[in-house]
Amino acid sequence: MEDIMAQRGHEIQGMVTELIFSNEANGYKVCEVELEDERITVVGILPDVQPGESIAATGAWKQHSTYGEQFEVTSFEKTLPKSKEAIERYLGSGAIKGIGAALAKRIVDKFGEDTLAVMEQEPERLAEIKGISQAGACEIAEQFHQQRQLRETMIFLQRYGITAALAMKIYKQYKESAIHVMQTNPYSLADHIQGIGFRKADQIAQQIGIPLESPHRIRSAVKYILRESSGEGHVFLPLDLLEDRVYQLIGVTGIQVENALTELIMEGDVVEKEETGQMRVYLTSFYTAEQGIARRLLSLAEVRQDIAPEEKADRLKQVENAAKITLAPNQQEAVMEALSEGVLVITGGPGTGKTTIINTLLDILEGMDEEVLLAAPTGRAAKRMTEATGREASTIHRLLEIQYMQEEDAKQTFQRNETHPLEADVVILDEVSMVDVLLMNHLLKAIMPGTRLILVGDMDQLPSVGPGNVLKDIIASGCIKVVRLTQIYRQAGLSAIVTNAHRINQGEYPIFNQKDTDFFFMRRRRKEDVARTIVDVILHRMPKFAHCSPIDDIQVLSPMKRGYLGVESLNQILQEALNPPASSKKELEFRQIKLREGDKVMQIRNNYNTPWKVLNRFGYPLDEGEGIFNGDIGRIKTIDPQERCLTVIFDDKKEVEYDYTALEELELAYAVTIHKAQGTESPIIVLPLHSGPAMLFSRNLLYTAVTRARQYVVVIGEEDMVRRMVDNNRPTIRYTALEDRLREEISASALLEGR
């Protein structure tokens, strides 16, 4: 079948006879097109295409499981209809608001084949038609003019290899200025159009003939490099490193880069500052975020709660007696400080009592009738916090009441801010190591003076995926009160997971396969043997040993995304082993990945508008709401090819329906990267450690992976790789400056007080 379709070629030309489906938001259409000898179904981004118009399109033939053969468009041009019949069909299709079938017939009866020329050149003559006023004629002419602009823009853009979908986005952004922008500064696309970065804009610019040494090109390259470096966690780049990367990217250096930086500084896009003996270059948004965090943290820290030590001790004793526990001195210190300090950091590894401290604090604060808000960076971390405390915790995004301004481009804003702050006496934020500078700044904007802030986290975990190193920088600054938890408590001390995690963190090798252990090592020399053993452990050994579900209770974590033992490869291997194809299971292919009913999948971005429901066994809803979060894991329940959707049931029984257009939000999750597992826990962690780049295989990556397990850790691979990871404690350089901003603000305050 595919060979037959391929023989039909990649181009079609014909007249649109019927519009079957249209999405005005993104220009996606399904229509019937009449060729010379047949009628076909055409699908794709076809903005403003209407019945009666002729199109010439390139694309590919596809076989839809329900609707049969279709031609999927990648680019197209259209021409206005020429015959009276085609013009009448075009106008009567609703192409122009206010013209229906009856009025279209009267217009064409009056002007014949000259109808469209009259609409473009002499629109006032439309008022000669009964039912069209002079104002109506002007409105029709304006709509026709806009359609012509869109048509010309689409044709222009597609000449330069821009898909119809991106062309539609460009037109919506720039309207009638689109062609002018493309001819003068196509690099602005990288700033305004999601899906177009510097490299694509540069490719378009070269086709158009923009000079290689254009100031627009150099400025765009500088911003691109600073944005890309934020993906490595950097808030700034040293000037010499920035210049080196600019040279590697576009072969420009010296005075041209300096001139570009001067212009970007004047435009407010970047900040250049000499600090600690080096010249640093920041994107302005990152500089102001760190500056905002420093100012707001210190402002909150200044307001201390005036509670007598005796009262704090009494309240703590009451809670200890009620819970029949006795806190260790270090834990007591954390609770006492949290009752007074405006801002407090509590940091420690696994088994050091962070959860006990939070629960004790909550009991005391509730006894004082104080309003407490609990939050964490991710949905799964918030869920863990809820389970550990018995109180509702939310993501930071939901706490700040996120809203999307433009659904298509996911531009977000927060309803909670300086003018509409959070109403709370205390905010407790867990897993702070995962919070980047932009999100922390937004959170602090929404915390009003007088609210106490308690930051809880493990400073030795992997830092945030986004820019910054918030928790480490705050602690290193010495400007905020910190309580460090170092003692492992008795019950946790019995676990080899906890003791080995602390050994790893202190640079000592973990101890394997002790009697009655929860930490196992299985030596395998070859990668293929590692993969086979992973399947055996998940499918047979651990279910028999721990009486667990192979899919729901066991999580494979890998340091790498690619490679034979990376998550992409392991997911294919594990999918075939744990959920093989069967005639009873529907499946689909998306971006060369098969998704099958029963598959374990992960939501890979926060989507606060996605509706969910929880059903009882009879299919009636028990609960419903909105919001699925990055890191949520579930199973594919059903795939419906006819409706082009699939349904996922997540771990918390929430059922979500995904349209095929939203599948980029899902990934197979039999194996996930250690970075993706931050803030989560699984009963059993399986960790393949065989070979890979030294920069990935580090001590804190191993530490983070081990601390994700609640019951068992199984390491499979080379013992030497485990030792190398423990030894590899060279800190990954992150260019951040929150520590400097905090000390800078303290110095400025001291200087003012000295005056």
Side-chain angles (χ1 to χ4, degrees), residues 311-582:
E311 182 185 348
K312 289 192 288 186
D314 287 344
R315 289 186 178 276
L316 173 57
K317 182 56 67 177
Q318 289 173 22
V319 169
E320 285 180 317
N321 290 339
K324 296 180 180 178
I325 59 171
T326 301
L327 269 61
N330 202 212
Q331 293 176 309
Q332 290 179 359
E333 177 196 2
V335 172
M336 301 285 269
E337 295 289 1
L339 292 173
S340 300
E341 291 290 332
V343 180
L344 177 69
V345 175
I346 300 172
T347 185
T352 55
K354 296 189 296 292
T355 300
T356 301
I357 291 167
I358 293 173
N359 282 327
T360 303
L361 263 175
L362 288 170
D363 288 339
I364 294 173
L365 293 169
E366 287 169 3
M368 298 168 65
D369 292 324
E370 296 210 347
E371 182 70 26
V372 183
L373 294 175
L374 304 179
T378 67
R380 295 189 80 189
K383 181 183 174 186
R384 272 185 61 205
M385 198 177 189
T386 297
E387 292 169 349
T389 63
R391 281 89 163 178
E392 186 64 30
S394 70
T395 64
I396 299 172
H397 289 83
R398 182 168 289 285
L399 188 71
L400 298 180
E401 298 175 17
I402 190 171
Q403 281 195 353
Y404 290 93
M405 300 298 289
Q406 294 180 14
E407 187 174 338
E408 185 180 342
D409 289 335
K411 293 181 180 177
Q412 61 188 39
T413 184
F414 295 106
Q415 299 305 294
R416 292 288 183 170
N417 49 38
E418 303 98 321
T419 58
H420 184 40
L422 297 167
E423 298 169 6
D425 298 300
V426 182
V427 174
I428 302 177
L429 180 62
D430 199 10
E431 297 284 1
V432 181
S433 63
M434 298 175 65
V435 183
D436 64 37
V437 294
L438 297 178
L439 187 55
M440 179 60 83
N441 189 39
H442 281 297
L443 175 63
L444 292 175
K445 284 180 184 178
I447 298 178
M448 61 180 144
T451 299
R452 301 200 301 289
L453 176 63
I454 301 168
L455 303 173
V456 184
D458 183 348
M459 64 179 288
D460 296 312
Q461 294 280 1
L462 292 171
S464 59
V465 175
N469 210 344
V470 172
L471 182 60
K472 273 193 175 179
D473 279 0
I474 291 173
I475 292 171
S477 74
C479 300
I480 300 295
K481 180 70 178 179
V482 178
V483 175
R484 288 180 171 85
L485 307 173
T486 55
Q487 182 180 343
I488 302 173
Y489 294 99
R490 186 175 60 186
Q491 188 174 358
L494 298 175
S495 165
I497 294 173
V498 172
T499 55
N500 275 335
H502 284 273
R503 288 179 66 85
I504 291 165
N505 200 30
Q506 292 160 12
E508 301 173 15
Y509 301 141
I511 298 171
F512 297 127
N513 301 335
Q514 291 176 302
K515 187 178 179 182
D516 300 323
T517 189
D518 53 12
F519 197 107
F520 302 97
F521 176 76
M522 303 176 73
R523 183 178 292 103
R524 297 293 182 271
R525 300 295 187 193
R526 299 169 62 247
K527 294 178 184 177
E528 295 78 8
D529 292 338
V530 174
R532 275 194 290 271
T533 304
I534 290 172
V535 172
D536 184 42
V537 164
I538 295 173
L539 210 54
H540 304 295
R541 297 195 188 198
M542 288 311 292
K544 183 178 179 180
F545 174 76
H547 308 291
C548 63
S549 162
I551 296 180
D552 297 327
D553 295 329
I554 304 175
Q555 184 62 61
V556 177
L557 299 183
S558 173
M560 306 176 294
K561 190 170 184 180
R562 295 181 176 86
Y564 188 76
L565 295 177
V567 297
E568 291 178 354
S569 173
L570 288 174
N571 270 318
Q572 301 300 316
I573 294 169
L574 292 169
Q575 182 188 46
E576 291 305 299
L578 297 171
N579 189 33

